[in-house]
Amino acid sequence: MEQQNQPDRVEIKTYRILRDTKLARQLKLLHQNNCQLCGNTIELSNGDFYSEAHHIKPLGNPHNGPYIAGNIIILCPNHHVQLD
């Protein structure tokens, strides 16, 4: 049996910003999961609603935006991708 070549492996270390998902959930509830740009609401097949929290001033370098309600807007996935 012939042994296949395997790619080399490297260890990668990353740092992530830990986000306060409670704040995002509160804002989604406040806006009833409606996109603040287009007003659309996405209803999932199980009856739940879906929206995404977008940071107006990004959290990471070089922007270092704050994780506060005033820096978050609730969006549909399409507008979230467009603003990213």
Side-chain angles (χ1 to χ4, degrees):
M1 191 177 269
E2 198 173 311
Q3 193 174 30
Q4 294 182 357
N5 291 337
Q6 295 293 318
D8 291 335
R9 295 177 187 261
V10 295
E11 181 180 346
I12 298 174
K13 189 175 193 177
T14 62
Y15 290 92
R16 285 185 54 214
I17 295 170
L18 298 177
R19 298 164 191 243
D20 180 2
T21 56
K22 181 179 178 184
L23 177 58
R25 284 194 307 271
Q26 290 172 339
L27 292 170
K28 290 177 182 184
L29 184 61
L30 175 68
H31 293 284
Q32 300 177 331
N33 289 296
N34 292 322
C35 177
Q36 290 183 260
L37 293 183
C38 68
N40 288 337
T41 303
I42 295 175
E43 185 173 0
L44 303 175
S45 60
N46 67 0
D48 289 343
F49 293 94
Y50 181 78
S51 62
E52 298 180 354
H54 173 74
H55 296 91
I56 298 165
K57 184 176 180 181
L59 299 181
N61 285 328
H63 309 288
N64 297 319
Y67 199 92
I68 59 172
N71 189 43
I72 297 172
I73 186 171
I74 303 304
L75 300 173
C76 65
N78 290 335
H79 280 118
H80 196 184
V81 168
Q82 289 176 335
L83 289 179
D84 276 347

